[in-house]
């Protein structure tokens, strides 16, 4: 399910027209510093953050094959990593790809890694910092499609529309500009 619409059927190759207007893209604002933990992640996993010179446009077309890959990666990574709360704060942060136990950061970078391995362009797989209702910061993976932006999140098995998340959006990786992040221009509802 995405935004209350069941995705099924062999003929599905794009987002249904009725849903396209509801999706929308997150409004990206001014450049901002990346999280310190992202910088440390890039030191550990250089290949994940390496500049990609080839930039072939904006959001990607969401085909049936890509939708299936998103659902599979979201399900597999959510299942494979046992939740482990970071009780040490910033001192305990270490974004790790595919650990056996981890927090939201590990889920988000693992999902991005797996999609990159399947040939997805980095420009559409954006790590995103949000704030949950309790005030805690949380990391999710925002996927930019031509039809709109969707979110892979370890707190739900569903892939949801960015605008339907209960979060306050803080900052997002800048599409096509590796290493840079941008503030979010408006929050989801």
């Amino acid at each position: 399910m995405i935004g209350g619409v069941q995705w099924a059927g062999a003929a599905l190759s794009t987002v249904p027209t009725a849903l396209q207007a509801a999706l929308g893209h997150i409004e990206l604002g001014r450049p901002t510093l990346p999280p310190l933990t992202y910088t440390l992640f890039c030191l550990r996993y250089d290949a994940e953050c390496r500049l990609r010179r080839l930039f072939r446009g904006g959001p990607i077309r969401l085909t049936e094959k890509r939708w299936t890959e998103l659902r599979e990666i979201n399900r597999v990574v959510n299942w494979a990593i046992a939740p482990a709360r970071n009780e040490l704060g910033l001192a305990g942060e270490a974004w790790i790809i595919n650990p056996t136990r981890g927090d939201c950061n590990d889920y988000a970078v693992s999902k991005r890694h797996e999609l990159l391995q399947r040939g997805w362009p980095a420009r559409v797989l954006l790590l995103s910092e949000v704030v949950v209702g309790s005030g805690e910061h949380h990391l999710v993976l925002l996927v930019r499609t031509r039809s709109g932006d969707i979110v892979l999140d370890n707190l739900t098995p569903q892939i949801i529309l960015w605008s339907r998340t209960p979060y306050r959006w803080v900052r997002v990786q800048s599409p096509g500009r590796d290493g840079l992040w941008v503030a979010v221009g408006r929050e989801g509802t």
Side-chain angles (χ1 to χ4, degrees):
M1 293 266 291
I2 222 179
V5 177
Q6 183 71 30
W7 289 65
L12 177 65
S13 64
T14 61
V15 177
T17 306
L19 184 58
Q20 288 180 11
L23 279 171
H25 291 97
I26 196 164
E27 186 178 316
L28 303 177
R30 70 190 184 292
T32 188
L33 293 173
L36 174 60
T37 47
Y38 172 76
T39 304
L40 296 173
F41 169 78
C42 289
L43 290 173
R44 174 181 278 168
Y45 297 102
D46 179 56
E48 295 291 314
C49 303
R50 187 173 301 130
L51 287 174
R52 291 166 175 87
R53 302 240 181 255
L54 182 61
F55 181 72
R56 299 181 65 205
I60 197 166
R61 195 172 127 237
L62 187 59
T63 63
E64 182 178 355
K65 178 181 183 253
R66 288 183 180 139
W67 175 244
T68 300
E69 286 179 339
L70 285 177
R71 287 192 355 227
E72 179 185 343
I73 294 299
N74 195 54
R75 181 183 50 78
V76 167
V77 172
N78 280 355
W79 179 83
I81 301 173
R85 190 168 178 81
N86 174 13
E87 301 292 343
L88 300 175
L90 189 57
E93 285 298 328
W95 298 6
I96 299 171
I97 294 173
N98 295 326
T100 55
R101 299 178 52 77
D103 62 12
C104 63
N105 307 309
D106 305 313
Y107 288 93
V109 297
S110 296
K111 291 173 185 182
R112 184 175 188 274
H113 171 78
E114 294 301 323
L115 290 166
L116 287 170
Q117 293 298 304
R118 290 184 182 212
W120 284 64
R123 73 177 187 275
V124 303
L125 304 173
L126 308 177
L127 297 172
S128 304
E129 181 184 355
V130 298
V131 177
V132 299
S134 66
E136 290 182 84
H137 287 247
H138 179 59
L139 197 71
V140 297
L141 182 63
L142 183 79
V143 180
R144 301 210 87 188
T145 75
R146 289 183 187 166
S147 303
D149 298 334
I150 54 179
V151 177
L152 282 67
D153 186 353
N154 67 297
L155 297 181
T156 178
Q158 306 300 323
I159 296 174
I160 55 178
L161 309 173
W162 82 271
S163 60
R164 301 250 172 102
T165 65
Y167 306 138
R168 181 173 56 85
W169 290 78
V170 178
R171 56 187 161 182
V172 175
Q173 280 183 297
S174 180
R177 298 176 66 194
D178 296 315
L180 299 179
W181 287 57
V182 293
V184 174
R186 70 176 204 162
E187 298 174 2
T189 54

